[in-house]
């Protein structure tokens, strides 16, 4: 136990990092992150396996700068970051988060202000950065905001927005999310490697009927939408920018 406590003490200012891209060599990750974080101070990167990287920072200030600034990308792929804890496992994404730019297409004009955009985006993740350029654009195709999302949770297709006298469903689109499963809608794998699909295959081998998805009735945030276009409201490439 003394050794465990000593090892944990050495990792007080350590971060665990995962790049959500396929077959990215460690030397590329090391080079890209060192270039982006060069102004923060001294840190050391160590490969842990299963595409995980340990970032040992010289002090807490450097760790906080890396953790709370961003968003960070390696070759266009999202970088998930979390503080190291004794509960960390390379087999789980629990606790891992990343800053992701989202778009709110066709946002009603009466919601087009900083406060309402942030409140709507907070239903997806914690608002972090607001694209100031969008207020100056000569068009209102979409609002754009950066939010921190938990990478072990399902990405919402959209959110319900309810005011004093109106209620509408706001779609959400995600930028630079390369590894997104359109079966379970989680970041980190594609449909061919989806654990939900594999579970369905196991059930099918027992002789039970295949699961049926009714494209005419979809549930979103405990609300039922009928007679919808599955391409507009179902999981698919249209969620990505």
């Amino acid at each position: 136990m003394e050794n465990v406590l000593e090892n944990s003490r050495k990792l007080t200012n350590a971060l665990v990092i995962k790049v959500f891209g396929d077959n990215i060599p460690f030397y590329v990750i090391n080079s890209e992150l060192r270039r982006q974080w060069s102004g923060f101070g001294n840190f050391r990167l160590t490969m842990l396996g299963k595409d995980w990287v340990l970032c040992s920072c010289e002090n807490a200030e450097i760790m906080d700068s890396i953790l709370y600034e961003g968003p960070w990308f390696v070759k266009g792929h999202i970088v998930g970051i979390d503080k190291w804890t004794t509960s960390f496992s390379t087999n789980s994404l629990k606790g891992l988060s990343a800053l992701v730019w989202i778009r709110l297409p066709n946002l009603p004009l009466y919601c087009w202000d900083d406060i309402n955009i942030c409140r709507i985006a907070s239903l997806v993740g914690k608002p972090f950065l607001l694209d100031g350029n969008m207020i100056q654009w000569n068009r209102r195709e979409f609002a754009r905001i950066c939010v921190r999302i938990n990478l072990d949770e399902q990405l919402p297709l959209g959110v319900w927005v309810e005011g004093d006298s109106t209620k509408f469903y706001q779609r959400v689109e995600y930028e630079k999310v390369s590894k997104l499963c359109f079966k379970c809608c989680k970041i980190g794998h594609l449909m061919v490697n989806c654990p939900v699909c594999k579970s369905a295959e196991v059930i099918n081998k027992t002789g039970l009927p295949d699961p049926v998805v009714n494209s005419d009735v979809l549930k979103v945030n405990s609300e039922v939408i009928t007679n919808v276009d599955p391409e507009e409201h179902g999981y698919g490439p249209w969620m990505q920018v």
Side-chain angles (χ1 to χ4, degrees), residues 1-12 84-87:
M1 182 54 66
E2 292 179 357
N3 289 343
V4 169
L5 293 175
E6 177 62 19
N7 293 334
S8 299
R9 185 191 63 78
K10 294 178 181 178
L11 293 166
T12 300
W84 178 89
T85 66
T86 54
S87 61

Side-chain angles (χ1 to χ4, degrees), residues 16-161:
V16 286
I17 298 168
K18 188 176 180 67
V19 180
F20 289 85
D22 289 324
N23 301 321
I24 301 180
F26 175 69
Y27 74 87
V28 174
I29 297 175
N30 183 68
S31 175
E32 284 287 309
L33 295 183
R34 286 194 175 279
R35 178 180 60 81
Q36 296 178 56
W37 300 345
S38 60
F40 295 147
N42 296 326
F43 59 88
R44 183 177 61 192
L45 299 176
T46 306
M47 194 69 185
L48 298 179
K50 293 187 177 180
D51 299 325
W52 286 91
V53 176
L54 179 71
C55 178
S56 303
C57 303
E58 190 175 62
N59 53 54
E61 289 74 17
I62 298 173
M63 179 183 67
D64 290 341
S65 296
I66 294 174
L67 183 61
Y68 296 115
E69 294 192 28
W72 310 117
F73 299 93
V74 172
K75 297 299 182 181
H77 298 288
I78 290 176
V79 176
I81 302 178
D82 189 23
K83 290 183 179 180
W84 178 89
T85 66
T86 54
S87 61
F88 165 71
S89 172
T90 56
N91 296 318
S92 173
L93 298 179
K94 187 174 183 180
L96 202 66
S97 65
L99 292 171
V100 176
W101 283 98
I102 64 172
R103 296 183 183 184
L104 306 176
N106 305 119
L107 181 69
L109 294 178
Y110 54 81
C111 292
W112 207 279
D113 62 86
D114 293 359
I115 293 177
N116 276 302
I117 291 173
C118 287
R119 288 179 65 89
I120 294 171
S122 68
L123 299 173
V124 179
K126 184 177 181 179
F128 184 75
L129 293 171
L130 188 66
D131 187 351
N133 291 326
M134 67 180 180
I135 305 298
Q136 303 173 9
W137 290 349
N138 294 324
R139 57 186 180 183
R140 290 291 185 268
E141 295 182 12
F142 57 84
R144 185 171 183 262
I145 186 171
C146 185
V147 297
R148 183 174 294 278
I149 62 174
N150 295 322
L151 298 177
D152 62 329
E153 296 180 359
Q154 189 180 56
L155 296 185
L157 293 165
V159 296
W160 281 103
V161 181

Side-chain angles (χ1 to χ4, degrees), residues 199-209:
S199 298
E201 291 176 1
V202 172
I203 294 175
N204 291 339
K205 290 180 181 179
T206 65
L208 298 177

